[in-house]
Every structure is written in structure tokens, then in C-alpha cells.
Amino acid sequence: MRVYARILAAGFRTQSRYLPAAFAGLLANATFGLLKSGILLTLVDGGGGEIDGYTAGTMAAYVWLSQGLLGSVNIWSLPSSARRIKSGDIAVDFLRPVDVQFAAIADDVGRGLFALIPRGLPSVGVGVLLVGMAMPAQILPYALGTVSLLLGITLSHALTYLLGTAGFWLVEVRGLQVLYMGVAGLLTGLITPVWLFPAWLEAIAVATPFPAVMMYPIDVLSGRTTGTDALALIGAQAGWLALALVAGGLATRLGRRKLEVQGG
Amino acid sequence: MGDGFVGRPYGVVRGRVRQVLRPYAVVLASRIRAQRAYRASFRADLFGTAVVGLTEMAEVVVLFSAANGTLGGLDLMQALLVFGLAELAFSSADMVFGHVDSLAQQVRAGTVDILYLRPQPLLAQLVTSDISLRRLGRSALAVVVLGFALVANDVEWGPRAVALLALSLVCGFAIFCANFVVAGGLQFFLLNAQEVTNAFVYGGRHASTQPATVWLRSITVIFGFVFPMAFCAYLPAMLLLGEPGAAWLPAWLGWFAPAAALWAWTLALLAWRAGVRHYQGGGG
């Protein structure tokens, strides 16, 4: 266990070397946040100040929390493990006395956690300053929200790791990644809250792990979902994470056999 | 490439043009062949880009259905017209110029130095280094949505509408291409900060698909006039539909799309020149 904590800390430190990148990300987050605010607040306004349970304040909270999470979850790119699978370097990783999957995810989660500092929190700050947002006044949503946030970030990297393992069989996984980007972008609730979807699309979204990456943490943290409902969301996140890790472990084992056939 | 490409005696000027273009044509043909080499992946790519376009359209549909049909003064069909115009212009620009904004990786890898050694202009080499056919999936979707929206909306067809449509597609394409070139120029300065350019390249794409009536004032300034995204789709669509437009962006401004494209390219070439001059080599 200690070794993974160290890998996580190393990932965190690696990312701290890319501060300009983090600030650039912040600028992009803020621009998209302003674009999202414009349309979503017009939407709330058109609904007479409330739509699907969102008021202007809670909608703004959704916009800026989702923008803040963007640098920490991974929707748009393959994990570094995928590059190592493609180049065959992963063979070296298999020789080390750590679990390849856990080590790769720990590294990515470490980087993701660092991104909260220069990118996540300031994004939320921009939202508070420019648009204003409603956040809960009690402690509990923040405590539960932190757990939910950690689970969401870990789940996101576990899912992209699993996606990357397709490289054991396909060599070139960019097509799959583009597909993942499209589906995850919509179903995580990044573009619009999942709860605004028409019922059938909402049902599809909830049947996938994607809302657990982003929508659930935002709901818990913003106090939209509280009490036992919040615990249920966190339970669902933990369930999806366990499932993703089991699938990732299985794919890694099968892929390793495949890799030995290719040789290196 | 077959021998027939340069063989027969065309006019001298024409022959000269062919001679100049030939290296690009050869490179392009090889890029296109290369992309089709991994067939399964190429098909997944095509399908994938179409799905990305589809999810972006789903956003428009979801928002308008949550709003019970009207949002920012437009109904869903009108919004799809804006979306289709923007998406077609963006996806074709992305196909031709999209990789220029990932220049930072090439600068870091030192491969840009090779391009400097060759006798062709850097930008022309970069553009032809990779035409992303996989983005055809997205363009195909855009054509379908645009065609559908043009039929579903109450457009008064005639020479004016056709001219407007052609004007907006050409200018929209040019403006999006210009954004990619600005991004490319800035990459020489922003090696580790590519997302600065994502803010206006992909933020601009996102902005161009929205009705400008919903924009916050800061966005109106940035994407109305600095990066003139409103001229790609929203303004021409309002002219086609006979709608009044938005505050600060009245529909008649749509006729000035060529001026907006010219401005965007001025910005692009300035940024590109500054970038190329700033570049000091990759130390390879």
C-alpha cells in the first residue's frame, strides 16, 4: 500500500512542474465556464428562475464545480500507460514488484489531485467572482463531497486505464479514445447536467459509470443531494470503481499474455 | 503517384504551378494512404468523430428541450441551423488546419527544425503534413444537420439566400482556419501551455454554435469581435431566418463576414510571423 501512496505523491509532484500548463488550463476553463454560464443561466431565467430543481445560484455552482473538476478527471486523453502499452515499454513495468494497474492509476490520480490547486480551486474562484454561486453553509456536504470527489477522480482514471488496455489488442486506440471522449463528455454531465436530459437519455446515463465521475461529486459537494441520498451516490461510485478495477485487472492479465506473443 | 502527374505538355504557367504544388500533392497522398493503413482504427476514428459531433448536437437538443423549445430567442430548428453552419465550417477547418495547433509537441520533439530546412513555406508544409480524413465523419454529420435545418426552417430561397449560405460557409471556414493558425503561432511561445489556445480555438467553436443572445458581455467582446465567431454561423443564420440578432450583434452585421474573415487572417498571419521569428530551434 505504501508504494502506491508514494507513486501517487510522485505524480502530484510531477504535475507541479507544469504550472504554466495549469494556468493555461485555468484560462480555458474560465472561458468555457462563461460560455456555459451564459446559456444555462438563460435557461434558468426562461423557466421563471427555476428549472429541474436548479436555481441561478445552484446552476452557477454546477457550472463552476464542473469546470474546476476538469483538470483532475480525464476525459480527453489516453493515460500514460496507454503510450507504454503501444511502445512495448509496459513489458518493463511487468517486471517490477508492483501491480501495473494500481501503479498507473495512482500516478494519474496524483497528477489529478495536484490540478485541483492551480486549476480546480481558482476555476471555482472565478465563478464566485464573476457570476456568483450558491454553496451549502453546513460542513457535512463538504466532507461527503471530498470523499465523492476522490472517488470520482479515481474512477475516471481507472476507466481511462481500462480504455488504454485495449491497446494490447488494437495497437492503435485513438479511434476508441475519440469515441470515449464523445460519450463521456456527454454522460458525465460535463456539457449539461445529466438531470436536464430527457428521461430516456438520463436512464442510459445512470446505467453507465460516467455520471459517477463528475455529476455525483458535483451533486454531493454542491449540496443538491444530501443525507442518505448522498451516501447512495457515494456507494454507487464505490461500486463502479470496484467494477472498473476488476475489469482493468483482468484486461491487464489477458493483455500481458498477448504482449508476450508480440515480443519486445 | 503515377508518372502522368507531370508528364504531358500543359501550358508553361500551368506546368510551373504543378511543379510548385507537386511536393504537397505527393505528401498529401501519402498521408491519406497512411491513414487508411490501420483500417479498423480508421473506421473507429471516422465513427468516433461523428459521435463527438453527435454529442455536441445532443447538447443543443437537450438544452432546448429542457427550455420547452425556445432559448435565447431561437427555437430548436433555428438553433440547429446555427449549429449546422458552425459545425460544417469548423470540422472542415479542423480537417485541414487542425493539427497546426499541436505544433508545441513538434517543437518539443525538435521535428520543426526539419521543416525549416526545406525550401517550402513552413505553414504550407505543416498544413499538408497531415490532412485528417477521420474528421470526415464529423463533417458528414454537419452536412446532414445543416441540410435538415435548411429544409425545416422558413428560409426564403433565392439568390440572396444562396449567396448568404455560400458566403457564411466560406468565411466561417476561413475564420476557424485562422484561429488554428493563431494557435500555431502562439505555440512557439507557449510550449507547455497549449490550453491557452484551446480557450479560443475550442471555446470559439463552442461559442459559434450558441445563439449570441445568451452570451455574457465579456464573451460578446471576445467571440463577437476579437475572434469573430459570431460571423461564422449566428449572424448569417439570423439573416437567413429574418431574425433581428442580438444586442451588439444585429443581424445585418452578417453581411460583413468577409471583413471578419480578413481580420481573423490578419491576426493569424501576425501571430504566425511572430512565432516563426521567435523560434530558436529545438536543440536537436
Side-chain angles (χ1 to χ4, degrees), chain A residues 194-253:
Chain A
V194 170
W195 315 126
L196 294 188
F197 290 177
W200 62 272
L201 189 59
E202 187 181 318
I204 292 176
V206 172
T208 71
F210 295 115
V213 167
M214 212 167 197
M215 199 67 237
Y216 298 171
I218 292 170
D219 281 345
V220 175
L221 194 59
S222 66
R224 181 184 164 87
T225 308
T226 52
T228 47
D229 289 343
L231 289 177
L233 289 187
I234 291 174
Q237 286 184 290
W240 282 117
L241 178 59
L243 216 60
L245 290 176
V246 168
L250 201 67
T252 308
R253 262 218 311 286

Side-chain angles (χ1 to χ4, degrees), chain B residues 7 13 26 29 39 42 62 75 82 86 117 127 134 142 145-146 168 171 195 198 203 236 238 272 279:
Chain B
V13 178
V26 172
R39 272 172 191 282
F42 180 67
V62 163
D75 66 30
V82 177
L117 290 175
V127 168
R134 61 206 159 84
V145 174
L146 179 59
S168 75
C171 294
E195 283 200 73
N198 287 358
M238 293 306 102
W272 183 256
Y279 183 64

Side-chain angles (χ1 to χ4, degrees), chain B residues 13-48:
Chain B
V13 178
R14 209 155 157 197
R16 174 82 192 125
V17 168
R18 292 213 153 201
Q19 221 172 31
V20 171
L21 291 182
R22 196 191 139 125
Y24 301 112
V26 172
V27 169
L28 273 183
S30 85
R31 296 310 309 157
I32 288 168
R33 275 200 309 275
Q35 286 178 52
R36 295 173 62 242
Y38 289 110
R39 272 172 191 282
S41 184
F42 180 67
R43 267 187 231 119
D45 265 348
L46 264 185
F47 183 63

Side-chain angles (χ1 to χ4, degrees), chain B residues 54 57 80-81 83-85 140-150:
Chain B
L54 207 59
M57 188 178 81
L80 284 181
L81 179 61
F83 178 85
L85 280 173
L141 177 81
V143 169
V144 172
V145 174
L146 179 59
F148 172 74
L150 283 173

Side-chain angles (χ1 to χ4, degrees), chain A residues 34 71 99 110 180 188-189 249:
Chain A
L34 289 174
D99 182 275
Y180 182 88
T188 51

Side-chain angles (χ1 to χ4, degrees), chain B residues 45-63:
Chain B
D45 265 348
L46 264 185
F47 183 63
T49 59
V51 168
V52 171
L54 207 59
T55 57
E56 264 146 20
M57 188 178 81
E59 176 193 0
V60 177
V61 176
V62 163
L63 285 173

Side-chain angles (χ1 to χ4, degrees), chain A residues 70-90:
Chain A
L70 263 189
S72 304
V73 298
N74 180 11
I75 289 171
W76 289 300
S77 58
L78 287 169
S80 49
S81 54
R83 208 174 48 239
R84 296 182 67 79
I85 290 172
K86 190 177 177 185
S87 68
D89 288 345
I90 197 91

